[in-house]
Amino acid sequence: MRIIVGISGASGVVMGYFLLKALKQQEGCEVHLVISKGAVTTWELETDMPLSKLTEIADVVHSNKNLAASISSGSFQTDGMIVVPCSMKTLAAISAGYASNLLVRAVDVCLKENRRVVLVPREMPMGKVHLRNMKEAADIGCTIVPPMLTFYNNPHSLDDQINHVVGKILMQFGMRHTKFIPWEGAVDDEAAKL
């Protein structure tokens, strides 16, 4: 499997780090990474880790300025792309088909080749323009996976919450995350009485 990961400049760039680590645990998964300039700034503001801690996980790291990179062409076979987090600027560019950088061009390529695209939009509250752009992105074939809080898996930390989101993302590609706790159902006391 070959997956492209785009990290844009929204808050929550550490989710990209968690996702890359989970993808590297998948047997035979090749990861191509593209990071926006805004994501680099956000990484420096939100984490204490050097950026190299993120980039060293990927098999290939592409410059967001390189519109001639392998992932900019449909003839380069991939299984799809994940944008995590997906800034509202990146979402707007995707929904409008405005491929002015490699990250958005790679999404555009995946969509035109009918490959899976998962967007993890990070903004709150969402304005009408954001919601419209998410609907447009969904209408053109993207799967929208907002990083919502989870409670049914009894999370104890921020890591638990992030791992839940990563697990939901990986499910879109038929992969399992070892740190994801799925819902197993509840006992129906009324049915037991029948």
PDB file of all heavy atoms in Angstrom, residues 4 8 11 17 29-30 33 41 46 57 68 78 80 83 93 113 134-135 140 144 154 158 160 162 177 181 193:
ATOM      1  N   ILE A   4      -0.342   8.831   0.649  1.00  0.00           N
ATOM      2  CA  ILE A   4       0.194  10.190   0.751  1.00  0.00           C
ATOM      3  C   ILE A   4      -0.421  10.829   1.992  1.00  0.00           C
ATOM      4  O   ILE A   4      -1.629  10.730   2.216  1.00  0.00           O
ATOM      5  CB  ILE A   4      -0.179  11.033  -0.478  1.00  0.00           C
ATOM      6  CG1 ILE A   4       0.263  10.352  -1.772  1.00  0.00           C
ATOM      7  CG2 ILE A   4       0.420  12.438  -0.364  1.00  0.00           C
ATOM      8  CD1 ILE A   4      -0.362  10.957  -3.023  1.00  0.00           C
ATOM      9  N   SER A   8      -1.333  20.195   6.801  1.00  0.00           N
ATOM     10  CA  SER A   8      -1.492  21.624   6.533  1.00  0.00           C
ATOM     11  C   SER A   8      -1.463  22.401   7.841  1.00  0.00           C
ATOM     12  O   SER A   8      -1.362  21.827   8.919  1.00  0.00           O
ATOM     13  CB  SER A   8      -2.769  21.885   5.733  1.00  0.00           C
ATOM     14  OG  SER A   8      -3.911  21.605   6.495  1.00  0.00           O
ATOM     15  N   SER A  11      -4.323  23.997  13.543  1.00  0.00           N
ATOM     16  CA  SER A  11      -3.939  23.516  14.862  1.00  0.00           C
ATOM     17  C   SER A  11      -4.150  22.004  14.908  1.00  0.00           C
ATOM     18  O   SER A  11      -5.064  21.470  14.288  1.00  0.00           O
ATOM     19  CB  SER A  11      -4.806  24.191  15.928  1.00  0.00           C
ATOM     20  OG  SER A  11      -4.404  23.782  17.209  1.00  0.00           O
ATOM     21  N   TYR A  17       1.678  13.429  13.168  1.00  0.00           N
ATOM     22  CA  TYR A  17       2.749  12.605  13.745  1.00  0.00           C
ATOM     23  C   TYR A  17       2.203  11.245  14.189  1.00  0.00           C
ATOM     24  O   TYR A  17       2.769  10.199  13.870  1.00  0.00           O
ATOM     25  CB  TYR A  17       3.377  13.360  14.919  1.00  0.00           C
ATOM     26  CG  TYR A  17       4.405  12.601  15.699  1.00  0.00           C
ATOM     27  CD1 TYR A  17       5.668  12.349  15.175  1.00  0.00           C
ATOM     28  CD2 TYR A  17       4.130  12.139  16.987  1.00  0.00           C
ATOM     29  CE1 TYR A  17       6.625  11.656  15.913  1.00  0.00           C
ATOM     30  CE2 TYR A  17       5.078  11.455  17.726  1.00  0.00           C
ATOM     31  CZ  TYR A  17       6.322  11.212  17.182  1.00  0.00           C
ATOM     32  OH  TYR A  17       7.264  10.518  17.897  1.00  0.00           O
ATOM     33  N   CYS A  29       3.428  -0.701   4.039  1.00  0.00           N
ATOM     34  CA  CYS A  29       2.848   0.602   3.724  1.00  0.00           C
ATOM     35  C   CYS A  29       3.958   1.620   3.478  1.00  0.00           C
ATOM     36  O   CYS A  29       4.779   1.887   4.348  1.00  0.00           O
ATOM     37  CB  CYS A  29       1.941   1.076   4.856  1.00  0.00           C
ATOM     38  SG  CYS A  29       1.072   2.614   4.475  1.00  0.00           S
ATOM     39  N   GLU A  30       3.973   2.190   2.272  1.00  0.00           N
ATOM     40  CA  GLU A  30       4.927   3.233   1.903  1.00  0.00           C
ATOM     41  C   GLU A  30       4.241   4.582   2.085  1.00  0.00           C
ATOM     42  O   GLU A  30       3.150   4.800   1.567  1.00  0.00           O
ATOM     43  CB  GLU A  30       5.347   3.052   0.444  1.00  0.00           C
ATOM     44  CG  GLU A  30       6.329   4.073  -0.076  1.00  0.00           C
ATOM     45  CD  GLU A  30       6.657   3.820  -1.539  1.00  0.00           C
ATOM     46  OE1 GLU A  30       7.066   2.687  -1.875  1.00  0.00           O
ATOM     47  OE2 GLU A  30       6.494   4.759  -2.346  1.00  0.00           O
ATOM     48  N   LEU A  33       5.066  12.055   2.265  1.00  0.00           N
ATOM     49  CA  LEU A  33       4.660  13.163   3.124  1.00  0.00           C
ATOM     50  C   LEU A  33       4.886  14.494   2.426  1.00  0.00           C
ATOM     51  O   LEU A  33       5.924  14.714   1.800  1.00  0.00           O
ATOM     52  CB  LEU A  33       5.463  13.120   4.430  1.00  0.00           C
ATOM     53  CG  LEU A  33       5.273  14.252   5.435  1.00  0.00           C
ATOM     54  CD1 LEU A  33       3.843  14.293   5.967  1.00  0.00           C
ATOM     55  CD2 LEU A  33       6.276  14.099   6.583  1.00  0.00           C
ATOM     56  N   THR A  41       5.185  26.116  10.691  1.00  0.00           N
ATOM     57  CA  THR A  41       5.034  27.146  11.728  1.00  0.00           C
ATOM     58  C   THR A  41       4.214  26.614  12.898  1.00  0.00           C
ATOM     59  O   THR A  41       4.590  26.785  14.066  1.00  0.00           O
ATOM     60  CB  THR A  41       4.357  28.404  11.139  1.00  0.00           C
ATOM     61  OG1 THR A  41       5.180  28.908  10.079  1.00  0.00           O
ATOM     62  CG2 THR A  41       4.168  29.479  12.201  1.00  0.00           C
ATOM     63  N   GLU A  46       3.275  24.418  18.444  1.00  0.00           N
ATOM     64  CA  GLU A  46       2.478  23.472  19.231  1.00  0.00           C
ATOM     65  C   GLU A  46       3.247  22.274  19.794  1.00  0.00           C
ATOM     66  O   GLU A  46       2.694  21.550  20.623  1.00  0.00           O
ATOM     67  CB  GLU A  46       1.320  22.945  18.385  1.00  0.00           C
ATOM     68  CG  GLU A  46       0.284  23.994  18.071  1.00  0.00           C
ATOM     69  CD  GLU A  46      -0.942  23.456  17.348  1.00  0.00           C
ATOM     70  OE1 GLU A  46      -0.923  22.294  16.881  1.00  0.00           O
ATOM     71  OE2 GLU A  46      -1.932  24.200  17.247  1.00  0.00           O
ATOM     72  N   ILE A  57       9.888   9.756   9.842  1.00  0.00           N
ATOM     73  CA  ILE A  57       8.981   8.607   9.829  1.00  0.00           C
ATOM     74  C   ILE A  57       8.579   8.243   8.403  1.00  0.00           C
ATOM     75  O   ILE A  57       8.393   7.070   8.078  1.00  0.00           O
ATOM     76  CB  ILE A  57       7.718   8.883  10.673  1.00  0.00           C
ATOM     77  CG1 ILE A  57       8.099   9.243  12.109  1.00  0.00           C
ATOM     78  CG2 ILE A  57       6.784   7.677  10.664  1.00  0.00           C
ATOM     79  CD1 ILE A  57       6.939   9.764  12.933  1.00  0.00           C
ATOM     80  N   ALA A  68       6.323  19.208  -9.610  1.00  0.00           N
ATOM     81  CA  ALA A  68       6.774  18.144 -10.506  1.00  0.00           C
ATOM     82  C   ALA A  68       7.094  16.861  -9.737  1.00  0.00           C
ATOM     83  O   ALA A  68       7.639  15.913 -10.301  1.00  0.00           O
ATOM     84  CB  ALA A  68       8.007  18.608 -11.292  1.00  0.00           C
ATOM     85  N   THR A  78      -0.937   5.362  -6.217  1.00  0.00           N
ATOM     86  CA  THR A  78      -1.086   5.416  -4.761  1.00  0.00           C
ATOM     87  C   THR A  78      -2.458   4.839  -4.410  1.00  0.00           C
ATOM     88  O   THR A  78      -3.292   4.643  -5.289  1.00  0.00           O
ATOM     89  CB  THR A  78      -1.001   6.865  -4.212  1.00  0.00           C
ATOM     90  OG1 THR A  78      -2.165   7.586  -4.605  1.00  0.00           O
ATOM     91  CG2 THR A  78       0.252   7.579  -4.685  1.00  0.00           C
ATOM     92  N   GLY A  80      -4.260   6.472  -2.143  1.00  0.00           N
ATOM     93  CA  GLY A  80      -5.026   7.616  -1.713  1.00  0.00           C
ATOM     94  C   GLY A  80      -4.231   8.540  -0.828  1.00  0.00           C
ATOM     95  O   GLY A  80      -3.012   8.417  -0.696  1.00  0.00           O
ATOM     96  N   VAL A  83      -5.281  14.188   4.569  1.00  0.00           N
ATOM     97  CA  VAL A  83      -4.820  15.519   4.953  1.00  0.00           C
ATOM     98  C   VAL A  83      -5.212  15.719   6.412  1.00  0.00           C
ATOM     99  O   VAL A  83      -6.393  15.823   6.738  1.00  0.00           O
ATOM    100  CB  VAL A  83      -5.422  16.629   4.072  1.00  0.00           C
ATOM    101  CG1 VAL A  83      -4.862  17.996   4.493  1.00  0.00           C
ATOM    102  CG2 VAL A  83      -5.126  16.368   2.596  1.00  0.00           C
ATOM    103  N   ALA A  93      -9.202  25.378  -0.997  1.00  0.00           N
ATOM    104  CA  ALA A  93      -8.477  25.098  -2.244  1.00  0.00           C
ATOM    105  C   ALA A  93      -8.892  23.751  -2.826  1.00  0.00           C
ATOM    106  O   ALA A  93      -9.099  23.627  -4.038  1.00  0.00           O
ATOM    107  CB  ALA A  93      -6.972  25.140  -1.988  1.00  0.00           C
ATOM    108  N   GLU A 113      -8.313  10.415 -10.155  1.00  0.00           N
ATOM    109  CA  GLU A 113      -8.006   9.003 -10.385  1.00  0.00           C
ATOM    110  C   GLU A 113      -8.919   8.084  -9.570  1.00  0.00           C
ATOM    111  O   GLU A 113      -8.701   6.878  -9.510  1.00  0.00           O
ATOM    112  CB  GLU A 113      -6.539   8.710 -10.056  1.00  0.00           C
ATOM    113  CG  GLU A 113      -5.535   9.485 -10.889  1.00  0.00           C
ATOM    114  CD  GLU A 113      -5.524   9.082 -12.354  1.00  0.00           C
ATOM    115  OE1 GLU A 113      -5.925   7.933 -12.664  1.00  0.00           O
ATOM    116  OE2 GLU A 113      -5.100   9.907 -13.195  1.00  0.00           O
ATOM    117  N   MET A 134     -16.818  21.912   3.159  1.00  0.00           N
ATOM    118  CA  MET A 134     -16.804  20.490   3.508  1.00  0.00           C
ATOM    119  C   MET A 134     -17.816  19.719   2.684  1.00  0.00           C
ATOM    120  O   MET A 134     -17.531  18.616   2.215  1.00  0.00           O
ATOM    121  CB  MET A 134     -17.062  20.296   5.002  1.00  0.00           C
ATOM    122  CG  MET A 134     -15.815  20.401   5.831  1.00  0.00           C
ATOM    123  SD  MET A 134     -16.101  19.943   7.533  1.00  0.00           S
ATOM    124  CE  MET A 134     -16.344  21.560   8.221  1.00  0.00           C
ATOM    125  N   LYS A 135     -18.990  20.293   2.495  1.00  0.00           N
ATOM    126  CA  LYS A 135     -19.994  19.636   1.661  1.00  0.00           C
ATOM    127  C   LYS A 135     -19.492  19.510   0.226  1.00  0.00           C
ATOM    128  O   LYS A 135     -19.645  18.455  -0.398  1.00  0.00           O
ATOM    129  CB  LYS A 135     -21.321  20.400   1.698  1.00  0.00           C
ATOM    130  CG  LYS A 135     -22.388  19.709   0.856  1.00  0.00           C
ATOM    131  CD  LYS A 135     -23.647  20.516   0.747  1.00  0.00           C
ATOM    132  CE  LYS A 135     -24.709  19.812  -0.072  1.00  0.00           C
ATOM    133  NZ  LYS A 135     -24.300  19.390  -1.396  1.00  0.00           N
ATOM    134  N   ILE A 140     -17.372  15.989  -4.096  1.00  0.00           N
ATOM    135  CA  ILE A 140     -16.405  15.617  -5.143  1.00  0.00           C
ATOM    136  C   ILE A 140     -15.637  14.345  -4.801  1.00  0.00           C
ATOM    137  O   ILE A 140     -14.773  13.922  -5.562  1.00  0.00           O
ATOM    138  CB  ILE A 140     -15.434  16.778  -5.480  1.00  0.00           C
ATOM    139  CG1 ILE A 140     -14.599  17.195  -4.269  1.00  0.00           C
ATOM    140  CG2 ILE A 140     -16.181  17.955  -6.071  1.00  0.00           C
ATOM    141  CD1 ILE A 140     -13.525  18.233  -4.565  1.00  0.00           C
ATOM    142  N   ILE A 144     -14.879  13.085   4.960  1.00  0.00           N
ATOM    143  CA  ILE A 144     -14.596  14.085   5.987  1.00  0.00           C
ATOM    144  C   ILE A 144     -14.600  13.399   7.352  1.00  0.00           C
ATOM    145  O   ILE A 144     -15.599  12.811   7.761  1.00  0.00           O
ATOM    146  CB  ILE A 144     -15.655  15.215   5.968  1.00  0.00           C
ATOM    147  CG1 ILE A 144     -15.878  15.758   4.549  1.00  0.00           C
ATOM    148  CG2 ILE A 144     -15.269  16.323   6.947  1.00  0.00           C
ATOM    149  CD1 ILE A 144     -14.684  16.395   3.892  1.00  0.00           C
ATOM    150  N   ASN A 154     -13.719   5.232  26.869  1.00  0.00           N
ATOM    151  CA  ASN A 154     -13.161   5.587  28.171  1.00  0.00           C
ATOM    152  C   ASN A 154     -11.735   6.147  28.060  1.00  0.00           C
ATOM    153  O   ASN A 154     -10.810   5.633  28.678  1.00  0.00           O
ATOM    154  CB  ASN A 154     -13.188   4.363  29.104  1.00  0.00           C
ATOM    155  CG  ASN A 154     -12.995   4.743  30.560  1.00  0.00           C
ATOM    156  OD1 ASN A 154     -13.252   5.876  30.952  1.00  0.00           O
ATOM    157  ND2 ASN A 154     -12.529   3.804  31.356  1.00  0.00           N
ATOM    158  N   LEU A 158      -5.029  12.813  26.101  1.00  0.00           N
ATOM    159  CA  LEU A 158      -5.094  13.376  24.766  1.00  0.00           C
ATOM    160  C   LEU A 158      -4.617  12.343  23.739  1.00  0.00           C
ATOM    161  O   LEU A 158      -5.191  12.219  22.652  1.00  0.00           O
ATOM    162  CB  LEU A 158      -4.237  14.646  24.676  1.00  0.00           C
ATOM    163  CG  LEU A 158      -4.179  15.348  23.321  1.00  0.00           C
ATOM    164  CD1 LEU A 158      -5.568  15.753  22.848  1.00  0.00           C
ATOM    165  CD2 LEU A 158      -3.251  16.551  23.393  1.00  0.00           C
ATOM    166  N   ASP A 160      -5.066   9.176  23.842  1.00  0.00           N
ATOM    167  CA  ASP A 160      -6.193   8.270  23.592  1.00  0.00           C
ATOM    168  C   ASP A 160      -7.160   8.879  22.580  1.00  0.00           C
ATOM    169  O   ASP A 160      -7.658   8.187  21.687  1.00  0.00           O
ATOM    170  CB  ASP A 160      -6.951   7.966  24.888  1.00  0.00           C
ATOM    171  CG  ASP A 160      -6.162   7.110  25.863  1.00  0.00           C
ATOM    172  OD1 ASP A 160      -5.154   6.498  25.453  1.00  0.00           O
ATOM    173  OD2 ASP A 160      -6.552   7.072  27.045  1.00  0.00           O
ATOM    174  N   ILE A 162      -6.469  11.195  20.278  1.00  0.00           N
ATOM    175  CA  ILE A 162      -5.828  11.240  18.956  1.00  0.00           C
ATOM    176  C   ILE A 162      -5.797   9.852  18.336  1.00  0.00           C
ATOM    177  O   ILE A 162      -6.074   9.688  17.142  1.00  0.00           O
ATOM    178  CB  ILE A 162      -4.416  11.842  19.052  1.00  0.00           C
ATOM    179  CG1 ILE A 162      -4.486  13.312  19.476  1.00  0.00           C
ATOM    180  CG2 ILE A 162      -3.679  11.703  17.711  1.00  0.00           C
ATOM    181  CD1 ILE A 162      -3.142  13.935  19.796  1.00  0.00           C
ATOM    182  N   HIS A 177      -5.767   0.058  13.550  1.00  0.00           N
ATOM    183  CA  HIS A 177      -4.798   0.717  14.425  1.00  0.00           C
ATOM    184  C   HIS A 177      -4.828  -0.004  15.766  1.00  0.00           C
ATOM    185  O   HIS A 177      -5.894  -0.136  16.379  1.00  0.00           O
ATOM    186  CB  HIS A 177      -5.168   2.186  14.569  1.00  0.00           C
ATOM    187  CG  HIS A 177      -4.224   2.997  15.398  1.00  0.00           C
ATOM    188  ND1 HIS A 177      -2.891   2.701  15.545  1.00  0.00           N
ATOM    189  CD2 HIS A 177      -4.417   4.136  16.126  1.00  0.00           C
ATOM    190  CE1 HIS A 177      -2.308   3.599  16.317  1.00  0.00           C
ATOM    191  NE2 HIS A 177      -3.223   4.481  16.687  1.00  0.00           N
ATOM    192  N   ILE A 181      -9.801   1.679  20.066  1.00  0.00           N
ATOM    193  CA  ILE A 181     -10.739   0.835  20.821  1.00  0.00           C
ATOM    194  C   ILE A 181     -12.115   0.982  20.186  1.00  0.00           C
ATOM    195  O   ILE A 181     -12.773   2.015  20.341  1.00  0.00           O
ATOM    196  CB  ILE A 181     -10.780   1.246  22.312  1.00  0.00           C
ATOM    197  CG1 ILE A 181      -9.380   1.129  22.930  1.00  0.00           C
ATOM    198  CG2 ILE A 181     -11.795   0.401  23.068  1.00  0.00           C
ATOM    199  CD1 ILE A 181      -9.262   1.719  24.317  1.00  0.00           C
ATOM    200  N   LYS A 193     -34.477 -10.345  29.126  1.00  0.00           N
ATOM    201  CA  LYS A 193     -35.682 -10.795  29.847  1.00  0.00           C
ATOM    202  C   LYS A 193     -36.644 -11.571  28.963  1.00  0.00           C
ATOM    203  O   LYS A 193     -37.536 -12.238  29.455  1.00  0.00           O
ATOM    204  CB  LYS A 193     -36.406  -9.587  30.451  1.00  0.00           C
ATOM    205  CG  LYS A 193     -35.619  -8.861  31.509  1.00  0.00           C
ATOM    206  CD  LYS A 193     -36.358  -7.617  31.987  1.00  0.00           C
ATOM    207  CE  LYS A 193     -35.530  -6.816  32.947  1.00  0.00           C
ATOM    208  NZ  LYS A 193     -36.197  -5.561  33.327  1.00  0.00           N
TER     209      LYS A 193
END
